[in-house]
Amino acid sequence: MDVKGKKILLISVRFFGYEKAIVERLQELGATVDFFDDRPSNSVLQKGIIRVFRSVLAFQIQKYYRSVFKKTENRKYDYFLLIKGEAIPLSFIKKIKKENPGMKMIAYTYDALHEHPRFADFIPYFDKSITFDRADALNNNMGFRPLFFLDQYRKSHSHSRPEVDVTFIGSAHTDRYRIGEKVRKACEKAGLSTFFYYYAPGKTVLVLKRIFDRNFKDFDLRKASFKKLSHSEISRYYQKTKAVLDINKPFQNGLTMRTFEVMALGKKLITFNEDIKNYPFYHPQNILITNREQPEIPQSFLASKTVSIPEETLQMMSLDSWLNGVFFEDQRNYWFSQKNTDQNS
């Protein structure tokens, strides 16, 4: 992957510091990167309005993107990478494309199209449109590249004796609390120790969700955590556990970032996502697929030996490989194949 000396315009939503890691790695590889937040503001209120009633903020969004264009005109970029794009207007995409006729346009989404339908509007304007969702890639003839892990999850690989059986760390959204509490109770019934960390951006948001969202009507505010953990902190918690619980959204088939981080750490994963069986790193001794409504965590799964993932496969799951897949290499053949079928059955 050679981006040395290339000028890259990156517009992305902020997602737990991963956008910062992408920028830093591109710069380490010799690229000049101009990064702009996709949203004019990351306040909880504005993020919610943009997702549900984007038109309400149309004037503010247009004003923000006029300022972005003013800062980027005459820069003559080699690449434009858009990640997700919740707020970005089509008018800006057309304008930046016209301003840079030789620039390669790349769009990537880590949401399913039915959850983020605006992404489909971008596709005609980009040279490459890539999704993390296997079904969306197959059904819409899009590029396919799952997410990645950051290097620190490999560097922090620990062989110390685990202190906890099952750990969950994640944002409190959709039905995560309801399903998480089912898993916690199932673990307690099986005599397993647990650590659960439900992150919320503020108490007011949770109170409102308890009023308007049935998934939160039984949410115990004492179980909420309002401190956003760093990747180093999350990694340390994961090192102390046998297995990490992954509660994907009920309508999500694409694999979460957590999936790759846990595999990189050499830990076991508990998930509800059946589609994980279609990936080359799947092994039933490493990954337990359980039922969302009646979860069961057999002690035999936690007691079984973790099977090492081949180095080539781990490399394909890394940030460097993700960057290579997004900018240069068509990796669909690799990710659509089940290379480990002989050991997965």
Side-chain angles (χ1 to χ4, degrees), residues 58-314:
F59 177 79
Q60 187 176 344
I61 290 170
Q62 289 289 350
K63 182 181 177 183
Y64 170 70
Y65 272 93
R66 281 196 297 271
S67 73
V68 173
F69 185 79
K70 192 171 182 180
K71 292 171 186 173
T72 57
E73 63 180 337
N74 303 318
R75 291 283 287 158
K76 299 307 173 190
Y77 294 102
D78 297 292
Y79 296 96
F80 170 33
L81 173 58
L82 173 68
I83 299 179
K84 195 174 177 183
E86 288 185 352
I88 190 169
L90 272 175
S91 57
F92 176 85
I93 293 172
K94 294 174 184 177
K95 205 171 179 181
I96 201 75
K97 185 180 177 76
K98 186 178 180 181
E99 181 76 7
N100 296 269
M103 177 178 67
K104 188 161 187 180
M105 308 265 293
I106 305 164
Y108 182 89
T109 182
Y110 56 85
D111 272 340
L113 288 180
H114 64 78
E115 186 182 1
H116 180 39
R118 276 200 82 224
F119 193 82
D121 298 334
F122 304 148
I123 293 174
Y125 301 96
F126 285 81
D127 300 300
K128 290 173 71 175
S129 297
I130 308 166
T131 178
F132 86 136
D133 187 295
R134 199 176 60 88
D136 277 349
L138 287 167
N139 296 333
N140 298 278
N141 194 29
M142 296 170 67
F144 177 46
R145 167 64 222 202
L147 288 164
F148 54 86
F149 63 80
L150 300 180
D151 278 351
Q152 63 201 81
Y153 285 91
R154 296 247 7 227
K155 290 173 184 173
S156 58
H157 199 298
S158 171
H159 297 285
S160 59
R161 186 179 179 86
E163 300 170 12
V164 180
D165 290 312
V166 177
T167 291
F168 171 77
I169 298 173
S171 300
H173 62 58
T174 56
D175 64 351
R176 267 188 174 172
Y177 176 77
R178 185 173 64 84
I179 301 303
E181 289 304 285
K182 283 179 181 283
V183 174
R184 186 179 59 77
K185 288 171 185 173
C187 288
E188 285 178 358
K189 191 175 179 181
L192 302 173
S193 59
T194 61
F195 174 77
F196 278 69
Y197 194 100
Y198 298 107
Y199 168 73
K203 188 174 283 189
T204 305
V205 175
L206 278 182
V207 170
L208 290 171
K209 282 187 174 182
R210 285 181 68 179
I211 297 170
F212 296 108
D213 189 335
R214 63 182 180 84
N215 285 311
F216 285 80
K217 66 183 178 69
D218 297 319
F219 197 105
D220 185 345
L221 292 176
R222 293 169 299 178
K223 292 180 180 176
S225 300
F226 303 105
K227 177 183 181 291
K228 187 183 289 187
L229 297 178
S230 68
H231 290 294
S232 296
E233 290 172 315
I234 294 170
S235 176
R236 284 197 291 273
Y237 278 115
Y238 285 175
Q239 287 179 62
K240 297 175 183 177
T241 194
K242 289 181 182 176
V244 175
L245 174 66
D246 179 43
I247 310 176
N248 58 308
K249 295 174 185 176
F251 41 78
Q252 177 181 322
N253 290 317
L255 302 185
T256 60
M257 203 77 83
R258 185 180 298 103
T259 303
F260 300 95
E261 293 164 349
V262 173
M263 294 295 99
L265 274 167
K267 297 295 181 178
K268 290 178 180 285
L269 183 77
I270 300 166
T271 184
F272 306 98
N273 194 339
E274 290 275 351
D275 201 51
I276 202 168
K277 287 183 178 178
N278 294 305
Y279 289 77
F281 57 83
Y282 172 75
H283 196 292
Q285 278 181 234
N286 296 347
I287 300 169
L288 173 70
I289 303 169
T290 190
N291 185 278
R292 203 172 190 91
E293 296 303 328
Q294 293 181 307
E296 293 183 11
I297 319 295
Q299 288 201 16
S300 57
F301 170 71
L302 296 176
S304 66
K305 184 181 177 182
T306 302
V307 175
S308 296
I309 297 174
E311 187 61 34
E312 178 203 356
T313 306
L314 280 170

Side-chain angles (χ1 to χ4, degrees), residues 47-65:
K47 283 163 74 173
I49 292 173
I50 285 171
R51 285 172 185 164
V52 184
F53 301 109
R54 184 178 167 278
S55 58
V56 172
L57 294 174
F59 177 79
Q60 187 176 344
I61 290 170
Q62 289 289 350
K63 182 181 177 183
Y64 170 70
Y65 272 93

Side-chain angles (χ1 to χ4, degrees), residues 312-338:
E312 178 203 356
T313 306
L314 280 170
Q315 179 54 38
M316 287 297 294
M317 297 159 70
S318 68
L319 172 57
D320 275 8
S321 175
W322 183 87
L323 289 170
N324 196 30
V326 167
F327 282 96
F328 301 111
E329 185 181 35
D330 185 347
Q331 297 179 348
R332 283 179 296 185
N333 287 342
Y334 178 85
W335 289 109
F336 282 143
S337 68
Q338 296 185 58

